[in-house]
Structure formats: structure tokens, C-alpha cells
Amino acid sequence: MSEKTNFDRRRFLGAAAITFATAPLLMSGIVDAKSLLAKPETAAPVKRMSGASFGPIKQIKAGLLNMGYAEAGPADGPPVILLHGWPYDIHSFVDVAPILAARGYRVIVPHNRGYGTTTFLSSNTFRNAQQSAVALDYIELMNALKIKTAIIGGFDWGGRTADAMAVLWPERCKGIVSVSGYLISTPAGNQTPLPPEPAFLFWYQYYFCTPMGKAGYAQYLDQFNKFIWHQASPKWNFDDATYERSAASFHNPDHVDIVMHDYRWRLGQADGERKYDHLEKRLAALAPITVPAITMEGDTNGAIHGPSTAYRSKFAGKYDYRLITGGIGHNMPQEAPEAFAQAIIDVDGFSK
């Protein structure tokens, strides 16, 4: 493929990403077309750190789960809970955790349901990944660890979960850091047909709504997720060892079911559980986040995302936005750990 063709393809994907991500926000009245012309603030390029490792993974019963998590820093330090997305795992924060621990924070990095050593306590529990159920997992984790309030940071599913926790339980969130901004959505809000360009970036979510998609994901799990890493972070030059370190977490017995339910639920192709209806009703209102918040974006994020202007009105408390340059993609904490850690430290300062 020629250099010009590669450039044109990247430009097409970038434009499609903005078009797609903005569509639901326009429908919900969060943004008007003129606001898309605003230019975001740009931060300086960051140094990418080398990989590290966590200590022994701990386990604790939290709600419906036996949750696995890594921990760093002093036990009496201010708590920080860091949430990963798909298809990633706790190692997205392997370079963030020691930075925060050195500053005196107690850092908790849990495996999402369906990842790593996190398992369901009962085989009869529905393998549900709707946004309210996942958010409640981390309130249950905080309860189990006797943590009253914490700073919540995340990207991808973790960013959505941080947003949901801040809306549903603001008293438990000292502040949040959310990559790509306000990510709460509803199945009803995702029903508007999209033009072909943004729909193209959504390909895997449509694929997952089919029986062949589930079978294909299960059969080609590692190839599939490694492909998504490249698509979402086109300039991140990770090696095989870095990918394989995280890939071990995908071989959880519930992983495929959790991933399928998440995307099928988002598109209205799978039902949630009635016990979460009251939480989903509150999230469906797309209420603003009132706790201190920092949102972040990478300058080469290949995943679906919108401009910061599209969701600025959804953050009503003390707020900052940071665009991290230097070829940073979707996996912000692992690609730019110093910048992500600094955002956690800074949002903590917002409430002081």
C-alpha cells in the first residue's frame, strides 16, 4: 500500500470517527454543529515508559464477583481506582500505578468481570455487561475494601464506568479522569442509522450481534484483539510480549459472553436485567457530571470518539480537558502513563 493511500485511509478513519461519535450527541442535544469547529487545547508530547509488572494479584468477594485486583502504594493513602476497557486489562495501568504509589496514593487496579482472575460467585448469574451492572461492581469493590470515596480513572469501558459512577454515586467519587469524555449511552439512543463512513468504524460491534461474530471472536480471540489494538492505536509500537501479557486475561471463562453482551446490549440486540432498570433510567437522562473531572484524548486515537466540544456541557463541576500529542492512541494510560498519572494527581487537587 502506497504512502499516499495510507495517509488517505488514516484521514478517512479520523473524519469517520468524529462523525460517528458526534451523531448520538447531536441526537441527545448535547452539542450543535457549530461547536465542532472549536479547537481543543493541546498538551506537550509525553515520554512513553517501558513495561513493568504488578505484584501478586489479590482476590476479594465484591457483590456478584470474586474480583481480582492489583494494588500498589500505602494502604492508608488516598484511594485511586483505575478501570480498563476492551480488549485490554489491568496492564494498561502497569506504568501508571508506580507513579501514583510514589506520590502516596493507594492504587487499586481491578480486572473487569470477564477478565483475568475475576469470576462470578455463582454459575447461575447472568453474564451481564450493561453499563449500570458494571458500574455497580466497583461500588461493591469499594464497599468490600471499606473505601468511602475514591478517585476513579478509566478509558474505553473504564471511562464509561467512571462516568456512570459519577452520575449514579457522586458521593463515592472524589473526582474522575475519563479518556474520551462523556461515554454514557442508551440502547434507545443508539438506534439512529449512521452513514457508511462512521458505520465502518463500528464494524466489530455489528459483527458481535451475530452468531458468527460470537463464534469468530471465540475462535480467533488473540488475533482479533491484537488487530483491535493496532486499529485503535495506529502509532503505538507495542511488541508481542506486551500484547501477550494482557492477552492472558482474555482467557477467562466468561470473557466471550461478557464482551458479546456489552455490545449487543448497547445496540438493543440483548436485554439487560430488570433489577438495574432504575439505574439505567437515571443514566438515560444523560445528566451532567458534577464531581471534579478531567477528560483526555490522544492525538491518534483510532477508536470511535468525538471532539471535546461535543461533551463539554456534560461536566458541571471543576473541569479540564487535555489533548495528549506525540502519536498517542486509544490505550491512553499505557501509551502515555505520565500524562494519565498527572491527570489523576491534578483532579485530586481540584477538590482541595
Side-chain angles (χ1 to χ4, degrees):
M1 187 177 291
S2 70
E3 183 176 347
K4 182 180 185 302
T5 302
N6 270 319
F7 172 77
D8 290 342
R9 180 176 179 272
R10 289 195 298 270
R11 184 172 60 182
F12 162 77
L13 293 175
I18 291 175
T19 303
F20 170 81
T22 303
L25 301 175
L26 286 166
M27 289 187 294
S28 62
I30 294 176
V31 62
D32 59 48
K34 291 181 181 178
S35 70
L36 303 183
L37 301 177
K39 294 182 69 175
E41 178 182 350
T42 303
V46 298
K47 178 182 177 181
R48 304 187 193 194
M49 299 174 65
S50 60
S53 61
F54 285 115
I57 300 301
K58 300 181 179 181
Q59 298 291 139
I60 193 168
K61 292 182 179 179
L64 301 173
L65 304 172
N66 179 6
M67 188 174 288
Y69 66 98
E71 185 168 1
D76 59 350
V80 174
I81 299 175
L82 303 176
L83 306 177
H84 69 83
W86 173 86
Y88 307 95
D89 83 328
I90 62 174
H91 291 95
S92 289
F93 301 100
V94 74
D95 291 320
V96 173
I99 297 172
L100 295 175
R103 294 291 294 265
Y105 290 95
R106 179 188 183 188
V107 186
I108 310 288
V109 191
H111 282 292
N112 286 352
R113 53 169 63 190
Y115 292 78
T117 61
T118 293
T119 57
F120 287 86
L121 295 174
S122 171
S123 60
N124 296 323
T125 301
F126 178 54
R127 273 38 178 176
N128 183 350
Q130 70 184 102
Q131 60 189 353
S132 59
V134 175
L136 184 57
D137 286 345
Y138 298 109
I139 296 298
E140 296 286 9
L141 174 63
M142 292 173 69
N143 292 341
L145 293 173
K146 296 180 170 49
I147 294 173
K148 184 177 180 180
T149 61
I151 299 169
I152 313 297
F155 74 104
D156 196 83
W157 291 20
R160 177 187 67 170
T161 301
D163 293 340
M165 292 173 71
V167 167
L168 296 173
W169 301 282
E171 71 281 2
R172 306 300 296 272
C173 302
K174 187 177 182 182
I176 69 167
V177 173
S178 177
V179 176
S180 296
Y182 192 91
L183 300 176
I184 296 169
S185 67
T186 67
N190 291 331
Q191 295 308 302
T192 300
L194 298 170
E197 292 87 352
F200 169 75
L201 289 182
F202 220 13
W203 69 272
Y204 59 90
Q205 301 195 28
Y206 297 131
Y207 180 61
F208 287 163
C209 287
T210 69
M212 182 175 291
K214 181 176 182 179
Y217 185 63
Q219 182 172 346
Y220 299 106
L221 182 64
D222 289 322
Q223 294 159 271
F224 197 105
N225 289 343
K226 193 172 187 179
F227 179 82
I228 295 294
W229 277 34
H230 284 294
Q231 177 178 318
S233 300
K235 293 190 176 181
W236 181 30
N237 296 316
F238 61 89
D239 58 18
D240 288 344
T242 297
Y243 173 75
E244 289 162 5
R245 182 178 58 183
S246 288
S249 295
F250 310 146
H251 296 273
N252 177 296
D254 300 307
H255 179 77
V256 172
D257 287 337
I258 288 297
V259 173
M260 294 304 110
H261 186 262
D262 178 275
Y263 291 111
R264 292 177 179 184
W265 178 84
R266 292 191 202 194
L267 294 177
Q269 300 302 303
D271 201 5
E273 293 181 87
R274 300 285 71 79
K275 65 181 178 180
Y276 300 116
D277 282 354
H278 67 294
L279 298 177
E280 292 297 342
K281 184 177 180 180
R282 291 173 59 192
L283 293 175
L286 300 178
I289 289 169
T290 58
V291 305
I294 293 175
T295 65
M296 310 180 73
E297 193 58 78
D299 64 338
T300 59
N301 184 0
I304 295 165
H305 64 283
S308 61
T309 49
Y311 52 76
R312 175 62 187 91
S313 65
K314 306 309 290 182
F315 293 89
K318 190 167 183 180
Y319 173 77
D320 189 26
Y321 167 74
R322 299 175 182 182
L323 176 63
I324 310 303
T325 63
I328 305 304
H330 188 60
N331 186 2
M332 171 79 72
Q334 198 162 359
E335 297 176 64
E338 291 178 323
F340 190 89
Q342 190 61 52
I344 295 289
I345 294 166
D346 291 347
V347 84
D348 184 23
F350 284 3
S351 60
K352 294 178 180 177

